[in-house]
Amino acid sequence: MSIMKLLEQLTEATGNEFEDKFCKIMKEIHKDKLQQTQVYGGDMKADAVLLPGKKTVFAVHGPETFKEAKVLEKLKDDYEGFIEHKQQGKWKAITKWIFVVRSERKGISSKILDFISSRDGENGVETGIWGLDDIRKYVMEWAPPALPGEILEEFKSLLLSLKQGGEVLTQDYEENGDRFFHHVEMRFKTPENRKEACKYITSLIEKIHGVYIQYPGAFEDMGLQKRINKLVKLRPHTITVVDLNLAYESLCKKSNDGKYVLLKQTKKILERLSVSA
């Protein structure tokens, strides 16, 4: 399910479903760095933990109706319970605590903000609060609705060049895989030509990866993350005339169905972009 669909469902969810949808959204963004907590034998006052950077605990609350007094009561209970655990030596690595609440309001009430801000920095822990609008902004920063038009065209152009260059490279591998160091009058006349061909294909893959890391959310929402990563894994460690065979073996790797990964994944990505356009 796409992250945008999860975000849409989050706005309608309450209670445990709200917590579950929030954790799935964060999992889409942070992968294994986000862990939904499973508490056995007691309430640790945390629903999810984010490990990279500032190690963060999320306490998630999804009331059907936002009532300030009840939300404030829940906020105090979760925060004070978390601090109690921390003072007992648990959650030692945590440096940030965020209260996530189902609220469509554009702002959080002053009493709730006062409680959060007055605790900021206590016990070495930053505090924060997210409503639905904050979650939307967080997701949109990671996953813009679509690639900018000019970036998308550049990306397609790189893929087409990779497809064309990959077809030549893999054909040469088929015909001359056992004589890379021979001066044969074929597609690439000398080992130096072959080295440059490998460098060219590798540079295209790196440029494709460079576009991807600028818009990871947009590509993942199109289901392209795994395909791009498969291309990236083809890059040889070094490309010299001496180790041409290793560079070729890396770039011309075949999948289980006997097809070249380079050509197969490039084709699939282009097809997906065509459908998304």
Side-chain angles (χ1 to χ4, degrees), residues 3-252:
I3 196 169
M4 295 305 174
K5 186 65 176 178
L6 285 171
L7 187 60
E8 179 184 328
Q9 293 177 353
L10 180 75
T11 62
E12 303 298 324
T14 59
N16 290 336
E17 186 184 2
F18 179 81
E19 175 190 327
D20 184 59
K21 297 296 183 187
F22 172 78
C23 290
K24 284 182 178 178
I25 286 171
M26 297 298 285
K27 192 79 171 177
E28 282 290 316
I29 295 173
H30 296 289
K31 304 305 178 191
D32 60 351
K33 294 180 176 63
L34 188 285
Q35 295 298 324
Q36 189 169 0
T37 59
Q38 295 182 356
V39 179
Y40 299 94
D43 185 357
M44 293 291 287
K45 301 300 180 183
D47 298 305
V49 181
L50 181 61
L51 298 177
K54 291 183 178 179
K55 295 173 176 59
T56 304
V57 154
F58 295 94
V60 186
H61 181 44
E64 290 186 19
T65 304
F66 187 97
K67 295 181 179 179
E68 183 185 65
K70 289 188 175 181
V71 171
L72 184 58
E73 181 182 352
K74 174 65 173 172
L75 167 61
K76 289 179 178 179
D77 181 66
D78 280 355
Y79 176 76
E80 291 169 358
F82 164 76
I83 291 300
E84 182 179 344
H85 284 302
K86 190 168 179 64
Q87 290 173 342
Q88 292 172 356
K90 301 165 186 173
W91 299 126
K92 290 181 181 179
I94 300 302
T95 58
K96 193 169 185 177
W97 184 89
I98 294 177
F99 186 67
V100 181
V101 60
R102 183 181 181 275
S103 172
E104 281 285 8
R105 298 180 179 186
K106 292 299 181 183
I108 302 297
S109 70
S110 59
K111 288 183 180 179
I112 292 174
L113 284 176
D114 285 346
F115 181 87
I116 288 288
S117 59
S118 66
R119 270 68 178 179
D120 190 41
E122 283 187 2
N123 299 284
V125 178
E126 294 180 27
T127 56
I129 185 166
W130 289 4
L132 287 172
D133 199 45
D134 300 296
I135 299 170
R136 290 190 191 99
K137 289 178 181 177
Y138 190 84
V139 170
M140 296 308 290
E141 286 177 0
W142 176 82
L147 291 172
E150 66 277 11
I151 299 297
L152 181 58
E153 290 307 310
E154 174 193 351
F155 191 74
K156 287 181 178 178
S157 178
L158 288 169
L159 285 165
L160 288 170
S161 296
L162 183 62
K163 179 178 179 292
Q164 294 166 0
E167 287 172 348
V168 175
L169 190 78
T170 53
Q171 185 63 37
D172 185 58
Y173 181 73
E174 290 278 353
E175 296 173 354
N176 302 300
D178 59 346
R179 49 180 183 165
F180 282 148
F181 306 101
H182 295 197
H183 288 246
V184 293
E185 296 295 326
M186 297 296 289
R187 296 173 184 276
F188 302 118
K189 295 183 179 181
T190 70
E192 188 64 32
N193 295 146
R194 288 197 167 91
K195 184 188 81 170
E196 293 305 314
C198 288
K199 289 176 67 175
Y200 172 65
I201 295 298
T202 302
S203 71
L204 289 173
I205 293 174
E206 289 173 346
K207 287 176 182 178
I208 287 167
H209 187 234
V211 176
Y212 163 73
I213 61 177
Q214 292 180 63
Y215 303 92
F219 282 109
E220 186 157 346
D221 210 42
M222 290 187 284
L224 293 177
Q225 182 196 37
K226 290 182 178 180
R227 296 197 182 282
I228 293 173
N229 284 337
K230 285 181 180 180
L231 286 180
V232 172
K233 289 179 180 179
L234 297 177
R235 295 178 300 181
H237 294 296
T238 59
I239 304 173
T240 66
V241 170
V242 175
D243 57 15
L244 265 179
N245 58 325
L246 296 178
Y248 261 72
E249 286 174 7
S250 180
L251 290 169
C252 298

